[in-house]
Amino acid sequence: MAFSVVYSSSSSATAISATRYSRSSELKAPQIGSLRLLDRPATVNLSQRRFAVKSKRNDSIVPLAATIVEPEVVEKIEVEDYEQLAKDLENSSPLEIMDKALDEFGNDIAIAFSGAEDVALIEYAKLTGRPFRVFSLDTGRLNPETYRFFDAVEKHYDIHIEYMFPDAVEVQALVRSKGLFSFYEDGHQECCRVRKVRPLRRALKGLSAWITGQRKDQSPGTRSEIPVVQVDPVFEGMDGGVGSLIKWNPLANVDGVNVWNFLRAMNVPVNSLHSQGYVSIGCEPCTRPVLPGQHEREGRWWWEDAKAKECGLHKGNLKQDGALLNGNGNGAAGVADIFNSQNLVNLSRTGIENLLRLENRKEPWIVVLYAPWCQFCQGMEQSYLELADKLAGSGVKVGKFRADGDQKEFAKQELQLGSFPTILLFPKHSSRPIKYPSEKRDVDSLMTFVSALR
């Protein structure tokens, strides 16, 4: 929704027109994050945004004979139902969705560019033939390859990326008090809040809408239900207040393979880190290549629980009710159990506690701590079942312990749980279990681990 305000040559009249899906190209917005002095009364909820346009009678004092009686304009209210719009666009192509977004919001919308494969967003924007803006968050901790990629993109598309930077005083305080790598010890959220979330918040305060590269297949635990367009549940736009910002996700229904097919077909610049095994790219200390068979988000904040694979830029994806379909909480109602085999023992809380207490076990055990909703646990299910079959009758017991929900704190304190899955070997003559240190979860790697320590 936008307003195009046109002033006539007569000082006694002002014409105001409201168009539903276009903005005047003559209205130039300031740079992202700057102050805009426009009065746009709006009331919203989280699926709709309502715009009110009002015009009052001219009450200036003039001679009676010269008075021009202006009819009072009745308040006009237009409502955009973004929940319905998302349904209408569900089967639309990214190009159609991008065109719709740029057409509706014009210069008050911008593409959030991270320096990874979401360069596809810029290519789609170019293909619409419409003007577009791009912004990016420079955290000060990006890879050198990412900075060179930014430069290549600017030159290729003949654009200027609008960079947002963290507050220097906040960064200084964080580093001086906690050091350069505190996130390895107390989690990434505080550093991301200073270097990414707050700069993003400032950027979005200068916009009415933003465009992201989120895809449902990027993180099944947090992004599996994202719509192609939504009222942003977390951040505020230029009008202020929750619900004042629209978030577009044109790639929501596109899988990563097809994004890459598109990039190759269009011969666009890509980050050279991709050829080194990086898939999801963030800050240098918190990003690493992924191994064959690993999900792309396993290269981000790998030392943390799978539910924390968001930095805060899309924290609206994280649900808070604790019993989540997509596995962001401590439990998941209605999710089928995994690791089911006659050669595998399902350990209860009492069973795992007894196993912990035994100092002289009759036989060694290998146990996976898992959550059935976790995509990484699901990804290793077949190899773990093969392991159980191979070890059947060998004198090594294979077990599983569901460590989410009410058992999670216990597993963290007593069983070295850091993220799902965690694999432990309980040796025959040792009271303390040994944690499997590798992320190679194929059956041969697991067998090597067991054979070396049995």
Side-chain angles (χ1 to χ4, degrees), residues 289-342:
V290 295
L291 298 168
Q294 283 188 303
H295 190 274
E296 62 185 82
R297 296 295 279 187
E298 287 201 72
R300 304 287 294 275
W301 310 293
W302 58 90
W303 63 93
E304 294 185 358
D305 190 352
K307 78 172 185 177
K309 299 293 184 178
E310 295 285 358
C311 61
L313 303 188
H314 304 293
K315 65 181 181 180
N317 297 336
L318 300 175
K319 298 185 173 66
Q320 306 295 326
D321 54 12
L324 303 177
L325 178 64
N326 56 16
N328 285 311
N330 291 325
V335 179
D337 199 14
I338 56 177
F339 302 127
N340 297 312
S341 168
Q342 62 181 2

Side-chain angles (χ1 to χ4, degrees), residues 15 17 23 40 43 53-54 82 85 111 165 237 270 298 313 317 337 343 347 350 355 402:
S17 64
R23 288 184 182 269
R40 298 186 178 200
T43 58
V53 182
K54 298 182 180 180
Y82 285 95
L85 182 60
I111 296 169
F165 301 91
V270 295
E298 287 201 72
L313 303 188
N317 297 336
D337 199 14
N343 294 322
L347 292 167
T350 302
L355 193 57
R402 182 168 176 174

Side-chain angles (χ1 to χ4, degrees), residues 62-69:
V62 295
L64 183 61
T67 301
I68 299 175
V69 179

Side-chain angles (χ1 to χ4, degrees), residues 2 12 35 37 121 123 127 136 168 206 241 275 293 314 354 388-389 403:
S12 63
L35 181 63
L37 299 177
L121 294 173
E123 181 65 17
L127 292 174
S136 190
S275 64
H314 304 293
N354 288 338
D389 292 342

Side-chain angles (χ1 to χ4, degrees), residues 371-430:
W373 45 260
C374 169
Q375 69 268 27
F376 310 124
C377 300
Q378 295 166 7
M380 68 163 284
E381 182 178 21
Q382 188 58 41
S383 61
Y384 197 68
L385 293 178
E386 289 181 25
L387 178 72
D389 292 342
K390 283 190 173 186
L391 291 175
S394 69
V396 179
K397 292 287 189 181
V398 181
K400 66 174 184 177
F401 175 67
R402 182 168 176 174
D404 63 342
D406 294 339
Q407 308 302 330
K408 190 171 184 180
E409 284 306 312
F410 161 74
K412 281 184 174 181
Q413 294 176 16
E414 304 295 335
L415 298 172
Q416 308 173 53
L417 175 68
S419 61
F420 295 118
T422 292
I423 301 169
L424 301 176
L425 181 75
F426 293 81
K428 188 174 180 180
H429 300 294
S430 174

